Amino acid sequence: MSTADKKPTAAWIGTGVMGRWMCEHLMDAGYHTVVYNRTKSKAQPLIDKGAVFAGSPKEAAEQADIIFTIVGFTKDVREVYFSDTGILAGAKNGSIVVDMTTTNPSLAVEIFRQAEAKGISSIDAPVSGGDVGAREARLTIMSGGDKTAFDQVLPLFEVMGRNINYLGEAGAGQHTKACNQIVIAGTMVGVCESLLYGYKAGLSMEQLIETISKGAAGCWTLDNLAPRIAKHDYDPGFIVEHFIKDMGIALQEAQAMELSLPGLALAHQLYVALKAQGRGKDGTQALILALDALSNAGFSRS
Amino acid sequence: MSTADKKPTAAWIGTGVMGRWMCEHLMDAGYHTVVYNRTKSKAQPLIDKGAVFAGSPKEAAEQADIIFTIVGFTKDVREVYFSDTGILAGAKNGSIVVDMTTTNPSLAVEIFRQAEAKGISSIDAPVSGGDVGAREARLTIMSGGDKTAFDQVLPLFEVMGRNINYLGEAGAGQHTKACNQIVIAGTMVGVCESLLYGYKAGLSMEQLIETISKGAAGCWTLDNLAPRIAKHDYDPGFIVEHFIKDMGIALQEAQAMELSLPGLALAHQLYVALKAQGRGKDGTQALILALDALSNAGFSRS
């Protein structure tokens, strides 16, 4: 940090559907912000608001006290941190890096160690809540890594989210996000199989949802996504391709820990099939269509 | 019904962990009640309260306007309704039979048709909420069958439950219960795999549950059963053996409708393994032990 009194300067790398809003909340809260995005046009709304555009992650990092990243895939995270024009080539001694991408816990540990070697603190802080949660500043933020650095970043997290947690050493945030996605995978399979069964049995889907959502089957998916399925609405809150990525990470890490997760593996495969059916950019609730296709059950034509 | 003004006489067949309380609520509400149970001692608390004990389901049915059943397995339901000493051999023309056992929708249709041929109305009305829900009169009741008969039984359902639904023709109640159990199966697999991953990753289980339960992973299982798992508490709300039965019914009916439900099939198999490990009388949250054994993950020894 520059001084104890002055607000830290933030760098924001990755101004996509999530990052764009998260960065904007920081700017609205009065943080001076340097931004970088591979496709500059996506950062334009932030530039228009007064953000400085940097030529590379390295250049952005050079100008900042706290460097946030939220990019697409694991390989993008590696490039943004480790390449010659990456963050660790530019970040100042004493600065803090915060990766908010959902990525491998083992990569979070790697970033932590390489950062530490240069006198830089590191936090892994993936989020849940989707683009709506990002826009409305009510994300869940799951953090691991340096606790002192977490405490310093906390005021900035608080302008982006509501449910902000520190869960332990480097990787703990990513592991928690993996656990979150594992629950969602099981729930989504259960809800979609249930609704497809109900459809085949001739039940009213709306009445079915209303009836079972009040008891032990109750879940966020039944409350929020099942009514969309009943209307054949597959618009994304969270897209299939990103969920496949997240489940893949959880499966890789589980295997590395010598842990078999058959339910997660099945959900992953059903989503791979769904993507193969051209549904990669649909919302995760489209899973019912993969199950429908499996039995030629007729729901998609209803 | 005897008259429009007089309260109908109820027969209650099956006074086990659920039926005992449901019948007691009817008696407390002032309904004259005849009871039958294979093991008479389990009906004793009701007899002590003034219920008449009948020598067979037939004898109980002969004395009643509305005949409730909640017994164990599909074969028990068949015997209670169709044997020489069964309900349909004794029930009066104009009476109503209400099977609250979780059983096959196709059996509900069979009871409906055989009852109809004798001038008896039939409702299938399985419940969810477990023995606690039964004791506290806050069951969910999922009904199918004769709508006029449902309206007549509604005041009696209202002393047993809170969320009472009529879902369509004979079997619709059982189909809805199947849908309920399908969601629970998926959710339970998701939650148990998630907690086991969290355990292997070294996360605090309590903190993990607290963090992920507030967002899109939120569900009744995470709120109510996950904290028990964290404490290695496998006491039953709902026992493994009964859940295996319910999932088996849903799988049979799905197959009869030419519907493949791979997630449900996997959950069913994991529970079959759990029962093989001697856990048939434990609560359904013990599923984590089947997953633990699968990978020799060490949770059961922690």
Side-chain angles (χ1 to χ4, degrees):
Chain A
M1 305 286 159
S2 334
T3 76
D5 295 64
K6 199 171 146 251
K7 278 191 169 172
T9 295
W12 196 280
I13 292 153
T15 57
V17 288
M18 304 282 293
R20 176 253 153 100
W21 299 110
M22 296 158 79
C23 180
E24 188 163 325
H25 295 313
L26 281 186
M27 293 178 71
D28 289 345
Y31 290 95
H32 178 66
T33 306
V34 185
V35 301
Y36 172 79
N37 198 61
R38 205 160 44 188
T39 310
K40 187 178 175 181
S41 62
K42 289 189 185 169
Q44 199 59 49
L46 297 166
I47 297 166
D48 293 345
K49 273 182 85 99
V52 175
F53 192 82
S56 68
K58 178 185 176 193
E59 281 180 30
E62 283 167 349
Q63 303 170 59
D65 303 302
I66 306 179
I67 301 129
F68 295 92
T69 53
I70 183 161
V71 297
F73 293 87
T74 297
K75 66 170 174 39
D76 304 314
V77 176
R78 298 194 76 88
E79 193 182 324
V80 154
Y81 277 91
F82 302 140
S83 78
D84 291 346
T85 56
I87 292 163
L88 295 185
K92 295 179 287 192
N93 189 296
S95 63
I96 303 171
V97 295
V98 184
D99 184 24
M100 303 189 80
T101 318
T102 295
T103 184
N104 293 69
S106 52
L107 177 55
V109 173
E110 194 179 340
I111 292 171
F112 181 89
R113 290 194 183 140
Q114 292 208 26
E116 194 178 35
K118 297 187 178 197
I120 301 162
S121 301
S122 174
I123 300 168
D124 51 298
V127 300
S128 79
D131 54 338
V132 175
R135 193 170 64 234
E136 297 176 358
R138 50 181 182 75
L139 293 169
T140 291
I141 303 177
M142 295 159 265
S143 315
D146 190 294
K147 178 64 166 74
T148 308
F150 171 80
D151 291 336
Q152 289 176 278
V153 178
L154 186 56
L156 289 82
F157 281 156
E158 284 171 343
V159 305
M160 303 178 212
R162 278 192 200 162
N163 178 20
I164 299 157
N165 305 271
Y166 176 80
L167 296 127
E169 59 189 21
Q174 296 295 352
H175 276 311
T176 301
K177 176 69 188 279
C179 289
N180 189 70
Q181 303 306 71
I182 295 168
V183 174
I184 292 173
T187 311
M188 197 71 74
V189 170
V191 167
C192 288
E193 289 193 352
S194 176
L195 294 184
L196 192 60
Y197 177 110
Y199 163 75
K200 284 291 272 188
L203 299 174
S204 146
M205 233 176 232
E206 288 79 5
Q207 217 184 345
L208 169 63
I209 295 163
E210 175 71 14
T211 300
I212 67 177
S213 61
K214 290 174 190 157
C219 55
W220 187 95
T221 301
L222 209 46
D223 289 341
N224 292 278
L225 298 181
R228 292 203 204 172
I229 293 171
K231 292 180 209 134
H232 295 263
D233 169 4
Y234 307 114
D235 281 353
F238 186 60
I239 73 170
V240 167
E241 283 177 359
H242 289 167
F243 196 36
I244 291 174
K245 180 198 100 169
D246 291 1
M247 288 188 284
I249 288 168
L251 285 166
Q252 278 173 13
E253 294 288 322
Q255 186 173 352
M257 297 189 291
E258 296 209 287
L259 186 65
S260 168
L261 298 179
L264 179 63
L266 174 61
H268 183 248
Q269 288 302 300
L270 289 170
Y271 274 101
V272 168
L274 186 59
K275 182 167 183 286
Q277 290 163 25
R279 296 283 182 174
K281 306 288 186 199
D282 279 351
T284 49
Q285 73 273 22
L287 181 66
I288 194 167
L289 298 175
L291 294 160
D292 186 50
L294 190 62
S295 298
N296 190 24
F299 178 71
S300 67
R301 301 184 300 277
S302 69
Chain B
M1 304 285 159
S2 334
T3 76
D5 295 65
K6 199 172 145 253
K7 277 192 170 172
T9 295
W12 196 280
I13 292 151
T15 56
V17 287
M18 305 281 294
R20 175 254 151 99
W21 299 110
M22 295 157 79
C23 180
E24 187 164 327
H25 295 313
L26 282 186
M27 295 180 69
D28 289 344
Y31 291 95
H32 178 66
T33 306
V34 185
V35 300
Y36 172 79
N37 197 61
R38 206 160 45 188
T39 311
K40 186 178 176 181
S41 62
K42 289 189 183 169
Q44 199 58 51
L46 297 165
I47 298 165
D48 292 345
K49 272 183 85 98
V52 174
F53 191 82
S56 69
K58 180 185 175 193
E59 281 180 30
E62 282 167 350
Q63 304 172 58
D65 304 302
I66 305 178
I67 301 128
F68 294 91
T69 53
I70 183 161
V71 296
F73 292 87
T74 296
K75 66 169 174 41
D76 304 314
V77 176
R78 300 194 76 88
E79 193 180 325
V80 155
Y81 277 90
F82 303 139
S83 78
D84 292 345
T85 56
I87 292 164
L88 295 185
K92 296 179 286 192
N93 188 295
S95 63
I96 302 170
V97 295
V98 184
D99 184 25
M100 304 188 80
T101 318
T102 294
T103 183
N104 292 69
S106 51
L107 178 54
V109 172
E110 193 179 342
I111 293 171
F112 182 90
R113 290 194 182 139
Q114 293 207 28
E116 194 177 35
K118 299 189 175 194
I120 300 162
S121 301
S122 174
I123 299 168
D124 50 298
V127 300
S128 80
D131 54 338
V132 176
R135 193 170 65 232
E136 297 176 358
R138 50 180 182 75
L139 293 170
T140 290
I141 303 178
M142 295 159 266
S143 314
D146 190 294
K147 177 66 166 76
T148 307
F150 170 81
D151 292 336
Q152 290 176 277
V153 179
L154 186 56
L156 289 80
F157 282 156
E158 284 171 344
V159 306
M160 303 177 212
R162 277 192 200 162
N163 177 21
I164 299 156
N165 305 271
Y166 176 80
L167 295 127
E169 59 190 20
Q174 295 295 351
H175 276 311
T176 302
K177 177 69 189 278
C179 288
N180 189 71
Q181 303 306 70
I182 295 169
V183 174
I184 293 173
T187 310
M188 198 70 75
V189 170
V191 166
C192 288
E193 290 194 351
S194 176
L195 294 184
L196 192 60
Y197 177 110
Y199 163 74
K200 283 291 273 190
L203 298 174
S204 147
M205 236 178 228
E206 287 80 4
Q207 216 183 347
L208 169 62
I209 294 163
E210 174 72 14
T211 299
I212 68 176
S213 62
K214 290 173 189 157
C219 55
W220 187 95
T221 300
L222 209 46
D223 289 341
N224 292 277
L225 298 181
R228 293 204 204 172
I229 294 171
K231 288 180 212 135
H232 295 263
D233 169 5
Y234 307 115
D235 282 353
F238 186 60
I239 73 169
V240 166
E241 282 177 0
H242 289 167
F243 196 36
I244 290 174
K245 180 198 99 168
D246 292 0
M247 288 187 285
I249 289 169
L251 285 166
Q252 276 171 14
E253 294 287 323
Q255 186 174 351
M257 298 189 289
E258 296 209 286
L259 186 65
S260 166
L261 298 179
L264 179 63
L266 174 62
H268 183 248
Q269 288 303 301
L270 289 170
Y271 275 101
V272 168
L274 186 59
K275 181 166 183 285
Q277 289 162 25
R279 297 283 183 173
K281 306 288 186 200
D282 280 350
T284 50
Q285 73 274 22
L287 182 65
I288 195 166
L289 298 175
L291 295 160
D292 185 50
L294 191 62
S295 298
N296 191 23
F299 178 71
S300 67
R301 300 184 301 276
S302 68

